[in-house]
């Protein structure tokens, strides 16, 4: 597993947590929720791209397509 991808995901998690805490203290819970959803979507995009790379490698190993 690539360590840089794990660090990026952890960094996004930390950043979203800090942003949500600051927004919650400022009374903007609605924006904090949107920031959380945006962070989740960003991480999901990273994971989907990794899954695509994995499937491409499996196809090349087994000679599919």
């Amino acid at each position: 597993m690539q360590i840089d991808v794990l660090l990026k995901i952890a960094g996004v998690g930390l950043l979203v947590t800090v942003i949500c805490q600051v927004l919650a203290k400022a009374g903007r819970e609605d924006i904090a929720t949107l920031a959380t959803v945006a962070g989740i979507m960003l991480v999901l995009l990273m994971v989907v791209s990794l899954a695509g790379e994995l499937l491409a490698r499996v196809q090349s190993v087994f000679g599919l397509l």
Side-chain angles (χ1 to χ4, degrees), residues 31-51:
I31 305 297
T33 303
L34 290 176
T36 302
V37 171
I40 290 171
M41 294 302 294
L42 186 62
V43 170
L44 281 176
L45 286 174
M46 285 188 232
V47 170
V48 166
S49 70
L50 285 175

Side-chain angles (χ1 to χ4, degrees), residues 1 12 18 23 25-26 30 34 36 40 42 50 54 57 64:
M1 189 77 194
V12 169
V18 169
L23 288 171
K25 296 284 183 186
D30 52 341
L34 290 176
T36 302
I40 290 171
L42 186 62
L50 285 175
L54 174 66
R57 287 185 184 182
L64 303 172

